[in-house]
Amino acid sequence: MEKEDLKVLNKGEEEEMELQGYRLCRWRLALVGLGVLCTGGFLLLLLYWMPEWCVKSTCTRTTARDAEVVLMRSTDEFRRWFLARVRVMLAPGSNPFHSLETQTTSPSSPSSPSCPFSSPASPPLANGHTSHPSDGSPAQELIRRYADYQPTQIRYFTFHSTKYYWNDEMQNFEVLNGMEDLQVSCSTLHSEHSAGLTRNQQEYRRLFFGVNEIAVKVPSVFKLLIKEVLNPFYIFQLFSVILWSADEYYYYAVAIVFMSVISIATSLYTIKKQYIMLHDMVAAHSIVRVSVCRANNEIEEILSTDLVPGDVMVIPSNGTIMPCDAVLVSGTCIVNESMLTGESVPVTKTNLPNPVPGERGEETDSAYNTEEHKRHTLFCGTNVIQTRFYTGELVKAVVVRTGFSTAKGQLVRSILYPKPTDFKLYRDAYLFLLCLVAVAGIGFVYSIVLSVMNKVPAKTIIIESLDIITITVPPALPAAMTAGIVYAQRRLKRIGIFCISPQRINICGQINLVCFDKTGTLTEDGLDLWGVQRVENGSFHLSEENAYKENLVKSQFVACMATCHSLTKIEGQLSGDPLDLKMFEATGWILEEATEEETSLHNRIMPTVVRPPKQLLPPEPAASTEQDMELYELSSAYEIGIVRQFPFSSALQRMTVVARLLGEKRMDAYTKGAPEVVVSLCKKETVPENFAEVLESYTKQGFRVIALAHRRLESKLNWHKVQNISRDHIEANMEFLGLIIMQNKLKAETPGVLQDLHGAHIRTVMVTGDNMLTAISVARDCGMIPPQDTVIIADALPPHNGQAAKITWRYADKPSKISRLEEVNISLEDVCHVDEQKTQELYHFAMNGKSFAVIEEHFPDMLQKLVLHGTVFARMAPDQKTQLIEALQGVDYFVGMCGDGANDCGALKRAHGGISLSELEASVASPFTSRTPNISCVPSLIREGRAALITSFCVFKFMALYSIIQYISVTLLYSILSNLGDFQFLFIDIAIILLIVFTMSLNPAWKELVSRRPPSGLISGPLLFSVLTQILICLGFQTITFLWVRQQPWYTVWTPLTDVCNRSSHINVSDDNDTEVDDHNIQNFENTSLFYVSCFQYLIVAIVFSKGKPFRQPSYKNWPFVLSAICLYIFLLFIMFHPVEGIDEFLEIVCVPFEWRVKLFLIIVVNAAVSVLVEGGIDLRAYKCLSRLCCPRKTPKARYMHLAQELSVDPDWPPKPTTTTEAKPRPENGSTYQIMINS
C-alpha cells in the first residue's frame, strides 16, 4: 500500500510533489508530548525543523482519500518536505461548474459525488433565484436554500496559497484553476458562457474558488520573530548564552545577545519591508467596484473580490485595472501590460473569435487556452487604457481565473515561495561546520577525561566541556557571512544595479555563460527604416530609400504600410509597437480614430481612418463654381478605413487587416510579416524568382526584413461577413508587394562588453525571437562569432508520414563568401587539415525555436552536445528560452541571462543570475535590475559577484581559524586546569574579531574581469590546504610558546605574590580577590603568553587571508581594514612592552620579564613570516604540483567539460554539411540517432 498510495500532485509542472496521506494517532501524540516534556521542549524544536519526522511520529499511514494530514515532498533536486491539514467543507454539490437550478433529479449521495471537471457546465438558466439575506455561513446559507439537496462533503487542503480539492474520479487532489478546467471551445464560450451567472451560481462557485484577491498577508512582527529565532543557529546561540551565564561569563554573553538582537532586528526589518512592498504592490487596485452581467440580462455592481470564473464583467470605456484574468467576448481594448511583461507598449486586445459551425469551423474552433489566446485575454494587474465598442453593446469579458490562479497571482506566488538557491558554497558551509563540530567533539571528550583525572567537581566538568563546543562553532558566523553580501549589494546599488535576492550575488561570481536577448539588449530598441524594395509584375524594383513620394501615394504598397498595423491614439499621441510606428511614420500619412460620440451616432463601429497629407496628393484643378468644388472634394478625398484587424501573432508571424478605400465597393486585405511566411500565402507568379537571394543578401547584413502582400476581396464579402470570417479565408492567394528593410543598430557598448566577457573565458549565447540569419549576422557584427568561425545551422523536422524525426545540417556562409547557401561545401580534406585542438573552437551551432523543440523531444541526448557550442537560438518562444537555460544548467554551466524584461521573465528567473534592463519596477521576476539600459552591467555584476564570493571565502576561513586558534589556546590551558579570562574572551571576540571581520569585507571588486574563476565551494583543494596549513602553523607556535615558557629559569607557578618583573612596589592584594582568582586559575604565565601570541595570530591570519588580486582590490586600498589592523598591532605591542596596570588587571594579564617579551615578539615575527610564505606558496601553484602527485589524470567535474573531452575525439563531430541525423526510436532508452550521409 505504501507505494500504491503515493500520489503525484501537479504532474509535469514546476511544483510537482509526491503526496502521502496520514491520520492522527492518539497514543503517538501522547508519547511525543511526554518526550517534549522530558527534553525540555527540544524535541518540539526538532519536529518543527523536520516536518516528515513530525508527521511520522504523530500519525499513521492511510489512503490519500481518508487523510487528515498530508505529507508532501518536492520532486526537484532539493527534495523538501511540507505538511498540510486536510479540511472538510459541506456544499450543495461537488462540481463548481454544475448549475444547481438545472438539477431536477435528487443529487448524488456523498459516496459517489459527481466530480469536479468530470462534466461540462450545464447552460446557466436565465431565471436565477434572488438571494435572501443570509445569517449563517455562505455554505450553510446555500445548503438551507437548496434543502432538497443532500450536502456533499468536500475534502481539501491549502498549500502555498493554493487550494487542492479531492477529486474522486482522478483519485487525487487537484487544483481548480477556473474556466480552463472545463476545456471549453471558443464557440461554447460565446454561446453558453457569455450571458452571465445568477447570484446563486456565483455564491456556489465562490465556495470553491474563494474570494478573488491576491492576499499577501504581512506577518506580525511576533510571528516573524518566532520564525527567525527558531533558526537552529540562534538556538545554538541561546544555548551558548545560558552556558556562559552559568560559567559567570556575563560580559561575553551580553555581547553575543546584543549582536544577536541587532542581527535579528535588521533581518526582521528587511523581511517585513519586503512583505510590505509586495503587499503594497499587489494591494494597489486589487479591490475595485466592477459591473457584472447577470443571467437575466440585468447589470449589477459588485466588489471585484466577489468575482468567480464564469462571471461576465463589463469593461468600462474609460479603462480600469483588471482584478482577474478574463477573455474578451465583445469589443476591443487597449491594454498596458508592463506589470507582466516589462514592455510599456500598449497592446490591442480583440474579442475571442466565434467560429461559425459549417464554415470550415472544425480546425479553428479549438479549446480556449490563456497562452494560445493571449491576444484576446485581459490579464490581472494589467491596465486597460481605453475600450472600443459597438453602439448599445458593451465591452464584455468572461472571467476565466481569479485570485492566485491569475497570471499576476502566479507571479506573486513565485515571489512569496521562491525555490531555495542551491549553491555549493552554502552546502559546503554546513559540511565545514560539521567538521568544526567533530573537532569540538574531540575537545569535549579530552576536557572530560582531563577533568575526571584531576578530580574536578561535576558542575565544572559539564560547563567547561560544553564551553569547548561554543568556542569551536563561532556564534558570530552568520553575521560575518552576511556582511560581505550587504556591502556588495550597496556597491551594486551605487552603479545602478538593484537586487531583490542578495543571496544570488555570490552565485553571480561563478557565472561562466551569459545568454543575451537581441532586440533592445545587444541592439537598439527601435528599428530605423533603411529602405523599401517594391515588386511589380513579379520582379523587384531597385531599392528606394523611402515611400514618401507623390507617384507612390496611391500604390497598394504604401496603402499596406499605412493600414497594416495596430497603432492607436492615446490622448492624441500615436502609440503602439515601435516597428509599426516607424513604418507608419515613413509614409507620412495621418491616422484618425472615431470619437465616442461619432461611434454612438452610427449603428456600427466607426473604422479607424488613414489618409495621406494634402501635399502628397496630385495638385487640384482650378475650381469653376462652388458646386464643382464640392464634387471635386468628394472625389479627391483619398481615405482608407480599417474595417477589421487580425492582430500580429508570434505563432503565425504575421498580421492582417481588412480595409476599404472610401467610395469603393470591394474591400482589400493587407498582410505584413516574416518574409518566408508571407511568400507562402502569395500566388507563385507574383513572387520574384530571385526572392530567396535578395532576402538572404539583406538578412546576412543584419537587416530586419518584413514582407508585404495584398488581395482584393470578393464583392460578396460585406462588413458583417468580414467581422466573422476566419483568418485562413483571407490570408490566401495574395499578391506579393515587396519588402520593407529595417535596420537594427548595435548598441555602442555591445562589442566591447562581449570582448571583455570572451577575454574572461565567459561564453556568450544569443537567444532571440528574431529571424535566424539576422541573428547570425548580428552575432558576427558584435563579435559573438569571430569572422573565421563556421556556423552550422541545425534544421530539425518532426516525424512526418511515418518517417522518423531528422536533423539536416547546413553550413552558413562566412561573411567573406558571397556564394549561395546551398552551394557551400566544406570538403572533408579541409576539415582534416585543421589541427585537432583548433577544430573544437572553430564551429558554432545555430537553430530556431521549431528545431529546438524537435531536438528536445526526439534527440534529448543530442541537445546536450548542441548547447555545448550553440551560439545563436533564433525565433525562440518565451518558454523555450527558459528550457534552453535549463538545458545549459543541465550540463553544469552557471548561467547568466540579460534581457529587457519583455518576454524574458521566465528565463530571467530561472538563470543563476538574471539581469533585466527594463526601467520598469514591473519586472519583479528578475533578481537584478539595471538602471543603465545596456549590457555593460553584466561584467560589473560578475566582478562584484566574484568579489563577494572571495570575501565570503576569506571571512569563512578567518572565522574557522579564529575558532580553532581559540580552541587550541583553551585546550592547552585546560591541561593545567586554567582558561582564558572573561575579559580576554571579550577583547578577542569584540575588539579583534568583529572589527576585523566587518572591515575585511570592504575590499571593492577588481577593475577588470580575469579569465580565472573563483572556486565554487569551500571544499576545494587550495582552500582546504590553505586552512589546514595555517591551523598547523598556529598550533605549532602556540605549543612552542606553552612549552617554552615553562622552561624559563624564572618560571614558577604564579600566585598574587609572585614578582618576576621585580616590581617591589606592588600593592598587596586582598584575600577576597585571592579566592576569586584561584577559582578559575586564570592569572598565570601560560595564560598571558598564549594570550599575546594568539591575539597576534588572529591579526596575522586576517592579513594573510584577505586576498586582493585578481578578484578584489588589494587590501591596502581598504583603509578601514588597514587602520583597524594597525591600531590593534600598536595597542597589543604597547601593552606587551609597556604594561599598564589598569589594562593588565582588566585583561587579567600577569607581568612577565622583559627578555621573555622579546622572545614572544620573535615567536610572533617568525609565525607571521611562515604564515605569509606558506599562503604565498599555495597561491603560486604549489597546490597544483601536489594535486598532480596525488591524483595524476582525473576527469573534469563539470559535465560540459566532460562532454567537450568526449566530442574532441569523436570523428563524426561536428556533423558534416552533407549529413542528416535521423532519430531511431528505441522504447527502453529514450532516443538514439544515427548519422546518414546523403548521396
Side-chain angles (χ1 to χ4, degrees), residues 237-261 467 470 475 981-983 985-987 989-990:
Q237 286 193 341
L238 183 71
F239 160 74
S240 308
V241 166
I242 293 168
L243 186 72
W244 293 326
S245 306
D247 201 11
E248 294 167 20
Y249 283 180
Y250 299 118
Y251 298 102
Y252 188 42
V254 168
I256 282 291
V257 166
F258 178 68
M259 262 171 52
S260 300
V261 165
D467 205 15
T470 65
D982 200 350
F983 288 105
F985 273 128
L986 201 64
F987 174 75
D989 290 333
I990 289 174

mmCIF file of all heavy atoms in Angstrom, residues 237-261 467 470 475 981-983 985-987 989-990:
data_model
loop_
_atom_site.group_PDB
_atom_site.id
_atom_site.type_symbol
_atom_site.label_atom_id
_atom_site.label_comp_id
_atom_site.label_asym_id
_atom_site.label_seq_id
_atom_site.Cartn_x
_atom_site.Cartn_y
_atom_site.Cartn_z
ATOM 1 N N GLN A 237 22.987 29.729 19.716
ATOM 2 C CA GLN A 237 23.468 30.917 20.430
ATOM 3 C C GLN A 237 22.823 31.012 21.810
ATOM 4 O O GLN A 237 23.481 31.366 22.788
ATOM 5 C CB GLN A 237 23.162 32.174 19.623
ATOM 6 C CG GLN A 237 24.078 32.322 18.429
ATOM 7 C CD GLN A 237 23.991 33.701 17.802
ATOM 8 O OE1 GLN A 237 23.038 34.418 18.020
ATOM 9 N NE2 GLN A 237 24.984 34.058 17.029
ATOM 10 N N LEU A 238 21.526 30.692 21.859
ATOM 11 C CA LEU A 238 20.816 30.731 23.136
ATOM 12 C C LEU A 238 21.464 29.751 24.120
ATOM 13 O O LEU A 238 21.719 30.077 25.293
ATOM 14 C CB LEU A 238 19.344 30.370 22.909
ATOM 15 C CG LEU A 238 18.436 30.440 24.128
ATOM 16 C CD1 LEU A 238 18.210 31.896 24.516
ATOM 17 C CD2 LEU A 238 17.092 29.778 23.852
ATOM 18 N N PHE A 239 21.763 28.541 23.614
ATOM 19 C CA PHE A 239 22.426 27.516 24.421
ATOM 20 C C PHE A 239 23.772 28.057 24.934
ATOM 21 O O PHE A 239 24.114 27.919 26.110
ATOM 22 C CB PHE A 239 22.595 26.258 23.550
ATOM 23 C CG PHE A 239 23.643 25.289 24.024
ATOM 24 C CD1 PHE A 239 23.406 24.492 25.140
ATOM 25 C CD2 PHE A 239 24.856 25.166 23.357
ATOM 26 C CE1 PHE A 239 24.375 23.598 25.580
ATOM 27 C CE2 PHE A 239 25.823 24.281 23.788
ATOM 28 C CZ PHE A 239 25.588 23.489 24.905
ATOM 29 N N SER A 240 24.533 28.730 24.033
ATOM 30 C CA SER A 240 25.838 29.274 24.418
ATOM 31 C C SER A 240 25.686 30.313 25.517
ATOM 32 O O SER A 240 26.430 30.308 26.503
ATOM 33 C CB SER A 240 26.521 29.946 23.222
ATOM 34 O OG SER A 240 26.548 29.082 22.126
ATOM 35 N N VAL A 241 24.675 31.199 25.359
ATOM 36 C CA VAL A 241 24.486 32.281 26.336
ATOM 37 C C VAL A 241 24.148 31.705 27.710
ATOM 38 O O VAL A 241 24.688 32.146 28.732
ATOM 39 C CB VAL A 241 23.379 33.248 25.837
ATOM 40 C CG1 VAL A 241 22.901 34.169 26.944
ATOM 41 C CG2 VAL A 241 23.897 34.054 24.654
ATOM 42 N N ILE A 242 23.252 30.690 27.725
ATOM 43 C CA ILE A 242 22.878 30.069 29.015
ATOM 44 C C ILE A 242 24.128 29.464 29.667
ATOM 45 O O ILE A 242 24.382 29.630 30.860
ATOM 46 C CB ILE A 242 21.782 28.991 28.807
ATOM 47 C CG1 ILE A 242 20.485 29.668 28.346
ATOM 48 C CG2 ILE A 242 21.550 28.182 30.074
ATOM 49 C CD1 ILE A 242 19.424 28.706 27.838
ATOM 50 N N LEU A 243 24.933 28.802 28.844
ATOM 51 C CA LEU A 243 26.144 28.153 29.340
ATOM 52 C C LEU A 243 27.120 29.185 29.923
ATOM 53 O O LEU A 243 27.655 29.014 31.014
ATOM 54 C CB LEU A 243 26.806 27.404 28.176
ATOM 55 C CG LEU A 243 28.002 26.545 28.560
ATOM 56 C CD1 LEU A 243 27.525 25.323 29.323
ATOM 57 C CD2 LEU A 243 28.735 26.092 27.312
ATOM 58 N N TRP A 244 27.328 30.287 29.194
ATOM 59 C CA TRP A 244 28.278 31.304 29.672
ATOM 60 C C TRP A 244 27.774 31.965 30.958
ATOM 61 O O TRP A 244 28.548 32.292 31.840
ATOM 62 C CB TRP A 244 28.514 32.372 28.596
ATOM 63 C CG TRP A 244 29.212 31.830 27.400
ATOM 64 C CD1 TRP A 244 30.163 30.859 27.381
ATOM 65 C CD2 TRP A 244 28.987 32.192 26.044
ATOM 66 N NE1 TRP A 244 30.545 30.593 26.089
ATOM 67 C CE2 TRP A 244 29.847 31.406 25.246
ATOM 68 C CE3 TRP A 244 28.150 33.114 25.404
ATOM 69 C CZ2 TRP A 244 29.896 31.498 23.857
ATOM 70 C CZ3 TRP A 244 28.208 33.225 24.033
ATOM 71 C CH2 TRP A 244 29.062 32.428 23.260
ATOM 72 N N SER A 245 26.453 32.131 31.022
ATOM 73 C CA SER A 245 25.907 32.735 32.241
ATOM 74 C C SER A 245 26.161 31.809 33.429
ATOM 75 O O SER A 245 26.493 32.248 34.525
ATOM 76 C CB SER A 245 24.411 32.976 32.094
ATOM 77 O OG SER A 245 24.191 33.733 30.926
ATOM 78 N N ALA A 246 26.016 30.474 33.181
ATOM 79 C CA ALA A 246 26.268 29.510 34.257
ATOM 80 C C ALA A 246 27.734 29.562 34.674
ATOM 81 O O ALA A 246 28.086 29.308 35.827
ATOM 82 C CB ALA A 246 25.903 28.114 33.786
ATOM 83 N N ASP A 247 28.588 29.915 33.713
ATOM 84 C CA ASP A 247 30.023 29.951 33.997
ATOM 85 C C ASP A 247 30.472 31.362 34.402
ATOM 86 O O ASP A 247 31.660 31.644 34.455
ATOM 87 C CB ASP A 247 30.780 29.506 32.737
ATOM 88 C CG ASP A 247 32.174 29.015 33.059
ATOM 89 O OD1 ASP A 247 32.452 28.834 34.258
ATOM 90 O OD2 ASP A 247 32.965 28.835 32.134
ATOM 91 N N GLU A 248 29.489 32.241 34.618
ATOM 92 C CA GLU A 248 29.731 33.621 35.033
ATOM 93 C C GLU A 248 30.502 34.435 33.991
ATOM 94 O O GLU A 248 31.177 35.402 34.329
ATOM 95 C CB GLU A 248 30.471 33.657 36.394
ATOM 96 C CG GLU A 248 29.609 33.116 37.518
ATOM 97 C CD GLU A 248 30.400 32.840 38.783
ATOM 98 O OE1 GLU A 248 31.494 33.410 38.917
ATOM 99 O OE2 GLU A 248 29.927 32.057 39.608
ATOM 100 N N TYR A 249 30.398 34.040 32.687
ATOM 101 C CA TYR A 249 30.993 34.872 31.624
ATOM 102 C C TYR A 249 29.932 35.868 31.164
ATOM 103 O O TYR A 249 29.508 35.847 30.029
ATOM 104 C CB TYR A 249 31.388 34.003 30.417
ATOM 105 C CG TYR A 249 32.640 33.190 30.569
ATOM 106 C CD1 TYR A 249 33.082 32.374 29.534
ATOM 107 C CD2 TYR A 249 33.397 33.242 31.733
ATOM 108 C CE1 TYR A 249 34.231 31.606 29.672
ATOM 109 C CE2 TYR A 249 34.545 32.487 31.870
ATOM 110 C CZ TYR A 249 34.953 31.672 30.837
ATOM 111 O OH TYR A 249 36.090 30.914 30.970
ATOM 112 N N TYR A 250 29.487 36.697 32.095
ATOM 113 C CA TYR A 250 28.323 37.537 31.782
ATOM 114 C C TYR A 250 28.586 38.519 30.646
ATOM 115 O O TYR A 250 27.745 38.730 29.789
ATOM 116 C CB TYR A 250 27.862 38.306 33.023
ATOM 117 C CG TYR A 250 27.435 37.388 34.131
ATOM 118 C CD1 TYR A 250 28.097 37.387 35.362
ATOM 119 C CD2 TYR A 250 26.370 36.499 33.951
ATOM 120 C CE1 TYR A 250 27.710 36.539 36.378
ATOM 121 C CE2 TYR A 250 25.980 35.635 34.964
ATOM 122 C CZ TYR A 250 26.652 35.655 36.181
ATOM 123 O OH TYR A 250 26.271 34.804 37.174
ATOM 124 N N TYR A 251 29.781 39.131 30.658
ATOM 125 C CA TYR A 251 30.020 40.199 29.670
ATOM 126 C C TYR A 251 29.934 39.667 28.244
ATOM 127 O O TYR A 251 29.325 40.259 27.379
ATOM 128 C CB TYR A 251 31.411 40.827 29.894
ATOM 129 C CG TYR A 251 31.543 41.469 31.237
ATOM 130 C CD1 TYR A 251 32.215 40.839 32.279
ATOM 131 C CD2 TYR A 251 30.960 42.719 31.487
ATOM 132 C CE1 TYR A 251 32.326 41.429 33.522
ATOM 133 C CE2 TYR A 251 31.074 43.314 32.739
ATOM 134 C CZ TYR A 251 31.748 42.662 33.757
ATOM 135 O OH TYR A 251 31.851 43.244 34.973
ATOM 136 N N TYR A 252 30.606 38.510 28.038
ATOM 137 C CA TYR A 252 30.618 37.960 26.683
ATOM 138 C C TYR A 252 29.207 37.534 26.284
ATOM 139 O O TYR A 252 28.768 37.735 25.159
ATOM 140 C CB TYR A 252 31.595 36.795 26.598
ATOM 141 C CG TYR A 252 31.794 36.307 25.175
ATOM 142 C CD1 TYR A 252 31.914 37.229 24.142
ATOM 143 C CD2 TYR A 252 31.842 34.950 24.865
ATOM 144 C CE1 TYR A 252 32.094 36.811 22.837
ATOM 145 C CE2 TYR A 252 32.021 34.533 23.561
ATOM 146 C CZ TYR A 252 32.139 35.464 22.562
ATOM 147 O OH TYR A 252 32.308 35.062 21.269
ATOM 148 N N ALA A 253 28.487 36.949 27.270
ATOM 149 C CA ALA A 253 27.111 36.521 26.999
ATOM 150 C C ALA A 253 26.278 37.727 26.567
ATOM 151 O O ALA A 253 25.535 37.671 25.590
ATOM 152 C CB ALA A 253 26.505 35.872 28.237
ATOM 153 N N VAL A 254 26.451 38.841 27.296
ATOM 154 C CA VAL A 254 25.689 40.050 26.968
ATOM 155 C C VAL A 254 26.079 40.552 25.568
ATOM 156 O O VAL A 254 25.228 40.934 24.769
ATOM 157 C CB VAL A 254 25.928 41.153 28.034
ATOM 158 C CG1 VAL A 254 25.391 42.500 27.549
ATOM 159 C CG2 VAL A 254 25.265 40.757 29.341
ATOM 160 N N ALA A 255 27.384 40.488 25.251
ATOM 161 C CA ALA A 255 27.851 40.960 23.934
ATOM 162 C C ALA A 255 27.209 40.138 22.815
ATOM 163 O O ALA A 255 26.750 40.685 21.816
ATOM 164 C CB ALA A 255 29.367 40.861 23.862
ATOM 165 N N ILE A 256 27.179 38.798 23.004
ATOM 166 C CA ILE A 256 26.592 37.936 21.970
ATOM 167 C C ILE A 256 25.089 38.191 21.865
ATOM 168 O O ILE A 256 24.539 38.256 20.767
ATOM 169 C CB ILE A 256 26.895 36.439 22.271
ATOM 170 C CG1 ILE A 256 28.322 36.123 21.879
ATOM 171 C CG2 ILE A 256 25.943 35.523 21.542
ATOM 172 C CD1 ILE A 256 28.597 36.137 20.379
ATOM 173 N N VAL A 257 24.429 38.370 23.012
ATOM 174 C CA VAL A 257 22.989 38.654 22.985
ATOM 175 C C VAL A 257 22.766 39.959 22.220
ATOM 176 O O VAL A 257 21.890 40.056 21.359
ATOM 177 C CB VAL A 257 22.413 38.746 24.417
ATOM 178 C CG1 VAL A 257 21.022 39.360 24.408
ATOM 179 C CG2 VAL A 257 22.370 37.365 25.047
ATOM 180 N N PHE A 258 23.590 40.953 22.512
ATOM 181 C CA PHE A 258 23.477 42.255 21.854
ATOM 182 C C PHE A 258 23.626 42.105 20.333
ATOM 183 O O PHE A 258 22.837 42.613 19.547
ATOM 184 C CB PHE A 258 24.555 43.180 22.422
ATOM 185 C CG PHE A 258 24.578 44.554 21.787
ATOM 186 C CD1 PHE A 258 23.528 45.439 21.998
ATOM 187 C CD2 PHE A 258 25.638 44.952 20.985
ATOM 188 C CE1 PHE A 258 23.539 46.702 21.411
ATOM 189 C CE2 PHE A 258 25.661 46.203 20.389
ATOM 190 C CZ PHE A 258 24.608 47.081 20.604
ATOM 191 N N MET A 259 24.672 41.318 19.918
ATOM 192 C CA MET A 259 24.900 41.090 18.484
ATOM 193 C C MET A 259 23.720 40.374 17.847
ATOM 194 O O MET A 259 23.263 40.722 16.760
ATOM 195 C CB MET A 259 26.149 40.236 18.275
ATOM 196 C CG MET A 259 27.363 41.045 17.958
ATOM 197 S SD MET A 259 28.804 39.997 17.984
ATOM 198 C CE MET A 259 28.351 38.676 16.911
ATOM 199 N N SER A 260 23.243 39.343 18.552
ATOM 200 C CA SER A 260 22.127 38.557 18.021
ATOM 201 C C SER A 260 20.893 39.425 17.869
ATOM 202 O O SER A 260 20.168 39.323 16.886
ATOM 203 C CB SER A 260 21.800 37.380 18.926
ATOM 204 O OG SER A 260 22.915 36.547 19.026
ATOM 205 N N VAL A 261 20.642 40.282 18.865
ATOM 206 C CA VAL A 261 19.451 41.139 18.821
ATOM 207 C C VAL A 261 19.546 42.071 17.611
ATOM 208 O O VAL A 261 18.585 42.226 16.857
ATOM 209 C CB VAL A 261 19.301 41.938 20.130
ATOM 210 C CG1 VAL A 261 18.300 43.076 19.970
ATOM 211 C CG2 VAL A 261 18.865 41.014 21.256
ATOM 212 N N ASP A 467 31.616 24.256 27.056
ATOM 213 C CA ASP A 467 32.199 25.533 26.641
ATOM 214 C C ASP A 467 33.074 25.359 25.398
ATOM 215 O O ASP A 467 33.106 26.212 24.518
ATOM 216 C CB ASP A 467 33.049 26.078 27.802
ATOM 217 C CG ASP A 467 33.154 27.587 27.714
ATOM 218 O OD1 ASP A 467 32.357 28.173 26.961
ATOM 219 O OD2 ASP A 467 34.019 28.171 28.375
ATOM 220 N N THR A 470 31.056 25.674 22.298
ATOM 221 C CA THR A 470 30.676 27.048 21.920
ATOM 222 C C THR A 470 31.872 27.832 21.400
ATOM 223 O O THR A 470 31.713 28.790 20.668
ATOM 224 C CB THR A 470 30.069 27.804 23.121
ATOM 225 O OG1 THR A 470 31.080 27.958 24.103
ATOM 226 C CG2 THR A 470 28.876 27.098 23.678
ATOM 227 N N PRO A 475 29.640 31.784 17.297
ATOM 228 C CA PRO A 475 28.264 32.288 17.210
ATOM 229 C C PRO A 475 28.142 33.514 16.304
ATOM 230 O O PRO A 475 27.055 33.837 15.856
ATOM 231 C CB PRO A 475 27.921 32.665 18.653
ATOM 232 C CG PRO A 475 28.963 32.020 19.487
ATOM 233 C CD PRO A 475 30.183 31.910 18.663
ATOM 234 N N GLY A 981 40.492 34.366 30.467
ATOM 235 C CA GLY A 981 39.610 35.146 31.336
ATOM 236 C C GLY A 981 38.437 35.726 30.572
ATOM 237 O O GLY A 981 38.456 35.852 29.345
ATOM 238 N N ASP A 982 37.414 36.094 31.331
ATOM 239 C CA ASP A 982 36.196 36.660 30.752
ATOM 240 C C ASP A 982 36.510 37.844 29.846
ATOM 241 O O ASP A 982 36.040 37.923 28.716
ATOM 242 C CB ASP A 982 35.301 37.106 31.918
ATOM 243 C CG ASP A 982 33.857 37.246 31.492
ATOM 244 O OD1 ASP A 982 33.621 37.172 30.270
ATOM 245 O OD2 ASP A 982 32.982 37.425 32.347
ATOM 246 N N PHE A 983 37.354 38.772 30.342
ATOM 247 C CA PHE A 983 37.644 39.970 29.556
ATOM 248 C C PHE A 983 38.631 39.694 28.436
ATOM 249 O O PHE A 983 38.689 40.435 27.458
ATOM 250 C CB PHE A 983 38.132 41.100 30.461
ATOM 251 C CG PHE A 983 37.014 41.663 31.284
ATOM 252 C CD1 PHE A 983 36.903 41.373 32.638
ATOM 253 C CD2 PHE A 983 36.030 42.445 30.697
ATOM 254 C CE1 PHE A 983 35.850 41.869 33.379
ATOM 255 C CE2 PHE A 983 34.975 42.947 31.435
ATOM 256 C CZ PHE A 983 34.872 42.658 32.791
ATOM 257 N N PHE A 985 38.429 36.888 26.596
ATOM 258 C CA PHE A 985 37.473 36.447 25.567
ATOM 259 C C PHE A 985 36.810 37.669 24.925
ATOM 260 O O PHE A 985 36.677 37.758 23.714
ATOM 261 C CB PHE A 985 36.376 35.571 26.187
ATOM 262 C CG PHE A 985 36.723 34.111 26.262
ATOM 263 C CD1 PHE A 985 36.611 33.393 27.452
ATOM 264 C CD2 PHE A 985 37.147 33.414 25.123
ATOM 265 C CE1 PHE A 985 36.916 32.045 27.513
ATOM 266 C CE2 PHE A 985 37.452 32.058 25.180
ATOM 267 C CZ PHE A 985 37.343 31.373 26.383
ATOM 268 N N LEU A 986 36.384 38.591 25.797
ATOM 269 C CA LEU A 986 35.659 39.766 25.322
ATOM 270 C C LEU A 986 36.528 40.602 24.387
ATOM 271 O O LEU A 986 36.079 41.026 23.320
ATOM 272 C CB LEU A 986 35.236 40.605 26.528
ATOM 273 C CG LEU A 986 34.076 41.559 26.295
ATOM 274 C CD1 LEU A 986 32.826 40.787 25.970
ATOM 275 C CD2 LEU A 986 33.845 42.404 27.546
ATOM 276 N N PHE A 987 37.781 40.798 24.777
ATOM 277 C CA PHE A 987 38.697 41.598 23.962
ATOM 278 C C PHE A 987 38.917 40.930 22.598
ATOM 279 O O PHE A 987 38.845 41.561 21.549
ATOM 280 C CB PHE A 987 40.037 41.780 24.694
ATOM 281 C CG PHE A 987 41.079 42.482 23.860
ATOM 282 C CD1 PHE A 987 41.012 43.849 23.630
ATOM 283 C CD2 PHE A 987 42.135 41.771 23.286
ATOM 284 C CE1 PHE A 987 41.959 44.493 22.850
ATOM 285 C CE2 PHE A 987 43.082 42.399 22.503
ATOM 286 C CZ PHE A 987 42.997 43.769 22.287
ATOM 287 N N ASP A 989 37.016 38.597 21.077
ATOM 288 C CA ASP A 989 35.812 38.451 20.265
ATOM 289 C C ASP A 989 35.272 39.769 19.729
ATOM 290 O O ASP A 989 34.724 39.817 18.643
ATOM 291 C CB ASP A 989 34.714 37.741 21.068
ATOM 292 C CG ASP A 989 35.054 36.281 21.287
ATOM 293 O OD1 ASP A 989 35.776 35.749 20.438
ATOM 294 O OD2 ASP A 989 34.623 35.693 22.282
ATOM 295 N N ILE A 990 35.403 40.828 20.527
ATOM 296 C CA ILE A 990 34.783 42.071 20.077
ATOM 297 C C ILE A 990 35.810 43.016 19.464
ATOM 298 O O ILE A 990 35.666 43.442 18.327
ATOM 299 C CB ILE A 990 33.989 42.713 21.232
ATOM 300 C CG1 ILE A 990 32.757 41.836 21.456
ATOM 301 C CG2 ILE A 990 33.577 44.142 20.873
ATOM 302 C CD1 ILE A 990 31.926 42.185 22.611
#
